[in-house]
Amino acid sequence: MNAVAATLRQNWVITLRDLKHWQREPWTPVFGIAFSVMLVLVFGYLLGGAISLPGGGDYLAYLMPGIFALSMMFGIEATMSAIANDSKKGVTDRFRSLPISGAAVPLGRAGADLMNSAAELAVLMVGGLLIGWSASGSVGATVLGVVLLLWLRFAMLVLGVFLGLAFRGEGGVTAVQVLVWPLGFLSNVLVAPESMPGWLAFLAQWNPISATAAACRELFGNPTGITGGVLADHALLLAVLWPAVLTVVFLPLTARAYRRLSR
């Protein structure tokens, strides 16, 4: 128990250290929010009138939970880049020379980015309310939807920390940036999978981001755009399981990569 408490204290110290970096360089979260706002404007107002939902419903109400889920995935390359830069500059080596838990450094970075993501999500949700989106579900259901969004974000951050430790070159960051886009858009965040060709709809339904977006739509009382398929009955379960699987797989790999790290 004492070891766990010590790890948590060390984790908090590293988290505060990384949060100070955001205070000095706030442009990454600002641009992240601006990009999400741009997607809302493009799809919600320019193209939204031409998009119909299976089962009916207002497209803007469908779109906003998808944008929330998408924003939880974007920025993984920033986490990866920060971890890689710390490693290349020797910062991580100095941490490793200290008598602290090996989990404190990677989890501290994930904790700082998670707090930053919570602030971004709050801004996006307030912005959604201002343009007409609303959550008509219960307070408890709405809170659970927010928790699921942050749960997905935590899993993405664990993945980003692992990639930053495993691939420290600029090529690795570029490769992740290229992969993030198709993974994010090959989902139900912008359009319903039922409007896609069969094979594409299958991939979109089994995308972790689709599960979180569909579950949040249900919890927020927004149109789901779903009339059948795996997400119709199991969106909430999959929204819990997908991030859990990613965390269980990549958290030990992150700890292993950190222990084996060398300049």
Side-chain angles (χ1 to χ4, degrees):
M1 184 64 68
N2 289 336
V4 173
T7 299
L8 292 176
R9 287 196 299 270
Q10 295 159 7
N11 183 17
W12 179 242
V13 171
I14 302 298
T15 296
L16 293 178
R17 175 253 182 190
D18 290 327
L19 283 174
K20 290 181 180 179
H21 285 201
W22 290 120
Q23 293 176 354
R24 299 191 194 101
E25 301 176 3
W27 298 114
T28 297
V30 169
F31 284 132
I33 293 173
F35 178 72
S36 298
V37 170
M38 181 191 70
L39 288 179
V40 172
L41 295 176
V42 170
F43 284 91
Y45 292 99
L46 295 181
L47 304 177
I51 300 176
S52 60
L53 298 176
D58 179 63
Y59 179 69
L60 183 62
Y62 172 88
L63 176 66
M64 290 308 302
I67 295 297
F68 299 154
L70 192 63
S71 69
M72 294 297 98
M73 190 197 69
F74 282 142
I76 182 177
E77 62 272 22
T79 299
M80 176 183 176
S81 179
I83 289 291
N85 287 335
D86 278 354
S87 176
K88 287 189 294 185
K89 293 177 181 178
V91 175
T92 305
D93 285 339
R94 289 195 288 272
F95 280 131
R96 293 173 68 225
S97 68
L98 298 174
I100 61 176
S101 169
V105 176
L107 287 181
R109 180 70 210 192
D113 283 4
L114 186 64
M115 294 175 67
N116 176 68
S117 300
E120 289 184 36
L121 180 59
V123 172
L124 285 176
M125 296 186 78
V126 170
L129 293 172
L130 293 176
I131 63 174
W133 169 79
S134 64
S136 59
S138 66
V139 174
T142 301
V143 171
L144 179 57
V146 173
V147 170
L148 288 178
L149 288 167
L150 295 177
W151 177 223
L152 173 66
R153 181 61 173 168
F154 178 76
M156 291 292 105
L157 291 173
V158 170
L159 174 60
V161 172
F162 167 72
L163 294 174
L165 292 172
F167 306 101
R168 287 176 282 166
E170 292 297 327
V173 176
T174 302
V176 170
Q177 289 175 330
V178 172
L179 292 174
V180 160
W181 285 78
L183 179 62
F185 286 107
L186 183 55
S187 64
N188 68 353
V189 299
L190 301 176
V191 295
E194 293 179 35
S195 65
M196 304 176 186
W199 65 273
L200 202 60
F202 176 83
L203 294 177
Q205 288 197 61
W206 287 98
N207 188 325
I209 300 168
S210 293
T212 298
C216 287
R217 288 176 179 128
E218 290 182 10
L219 293 168
F220 293 159
N222 297 143
T224 63
I226 300 172
T227 61
V230 64
L231 293 179
D233 300 317
H234 306 294
L236 183 58
L237 177 63
L238 290 174
V240 174
L241 289 181
W242 266 122
V245 169
L246 293 172
T247 301
V248 167
V249 170
F250 286 102
L251 194 56
L253 291 177
T254 298
R256 183 171 178 266
Y258 181 79
R259 287 194 299 268
R260 295 190 173 189
L261 193 62
S262 61
R263 292 188 65 189

